[in-house]
Amino acid sequence: NCPRVVQGPVMAGVMPAKQVAYVGRLKSKRFMDAPCFETLSGSELTTSYLSQHGFTRPVLVEDSEGLGLRMPHPQLTIDNVADTVGRAQPVNVIDVATQTTLLDQWRLAEWAVYCRTPPSQRDRVLNVISLEISASSLGKLVDGPRIVHDLDWVDLAWPPGVDGRPQVQKYCLMGVAEAFTDFHIDFGGSSVWYHVLRVRS
């Protein structure tokens, strides 16, 4: 599942007509309770539950109580992320209009400036979906749900003290108004968990 890379120039601020229509449909749609989701409490989501009922549908846990989840303060800002992870940290930035990775490498400092820029002054809609933070100070403030640790192959199979432990467990995703990521399958078809720390509609 390699990200596509923009090779040629992209017209700044121009979103293809089909994407404008897609964003418009999303904004006008009222999402009902989706029967394709399991809705559980944090304490119900256990390996015993999954052994009995399987894990064939996405699970929504609306209240993190009992989930074993630890997150930074909800008022965490993108500048806080840049300061904690490191403003010089390289970051892959996605152009939402084309769903491609920008060819020029950004730093978190540049990303923070972009996010602070008023929407009317941004030349295009961008987001960040691949900032891995496990080894950073920010990563130390995040602990995934207990069920994730109970099932995680890295936690279960990687020998303690052996170098080369994969850093693929904690990602910080950031986007601005109208940013979205197209439907996709994560690398290796892996399952993922998301916790929305801060959102503004």
Side-chain angles (χ1 to χ4, degrees):
N1 191 22
C2 295
R4 292 162 286 175
V5 177
V6 177
Q7 299 288 345
V10 174
M11 291 177 63
V14 177
M15 187 178 281
K18 67 178 184 179
Q19 301 234 334
V20 170
Y22 179 69
V23 170
R25 277 195 301 257
L26 279 177
K27 284 183 170 181
S28 65
K29 186 167 178 61
R30 184 173 180 270
F31 291 92
M32 306 299 283
D33 292 334
C36 63
F37 283 86
E38 290 284 347
T39 302
L40 301 173
S41 70
S43 57
E44 289 175 319
L45 186 54
T46 63
T47 52
S48 298
Y49 177 89
L50 295 179
S51 294
Q52 278 187 306
H53 302 279
F55 189 21
T56 58
R57 300 193 298 174
V59 176
L60 174 65
V61 179
E62 295 180 294
D63 182 354
S64 61
E65 182 76 28
L67 198 55
L69 180 71
R70 186 165 53 94
M71 283 285 134
H73 192 279
Q75 294 307 310
L76 181 80
T77 66
I78 292 182
D79 275 302
N80 297 148
V81 172
D83 290 336
T84 310
V85 176
R87 289 188 168 269
Q89 173 71 36
V91 63
N92 290 324
V93 177
I94 305 285
D95 184 319
V96 169
T98 59
Q99 292 291 297
T100 54
T101 303
L102 299 184
L103 194 55
D104 52 328
Q105 184 79 64
W106 284 41
R107 305 279 174 187
L108 267 177
E110 296 168 281
W111 174 251
V113 169
Y114 166 80
C115 290
R116 284 196 311 271
T117 303
S120 61
Q121 295 175 26
R122 295 181 190 137
D123 64 350
R124 52 188 154 178
V125 178
L126 306 172
N127 67 7
V128 167
I129 61 170
S130 59
L131 177 61
E132 216 291 338
I133 60 167
S134 294
S136 72
S137 299
L138 181 57
K140 292 177 176 56
L141 301 176
V142 175
D143 200 9
R146 180 182 50 257
I147 189 69
V148 172
H149 295 295
D150 291 344
L151 299 176
D152 192 309
W153 288 5
V154 174
D155 285 341
L156 294 173
W158 201 264
V162 174
D163 291 340
R165 181 182 173 97
Q167 296 293 312
V168 293
Q169 293 179 302
K170 300 175 186 177
Y171 287 87
C172 178
L173 285 63
M174 299 171 279
V176 296
E178 298 192 355
F180 65 89
T181 304
D182 210 348
F183 295 100
H184 64 281
I185 297 174
D186 280 316
F187 50 86
S190 56
S191 297
V192 298
W193 62 274
Y194 289 98
H195 176 77
V196 178
L197 184 68
R198 188 173 177 195
V199 66
R200 187 169 61 202
S201 59

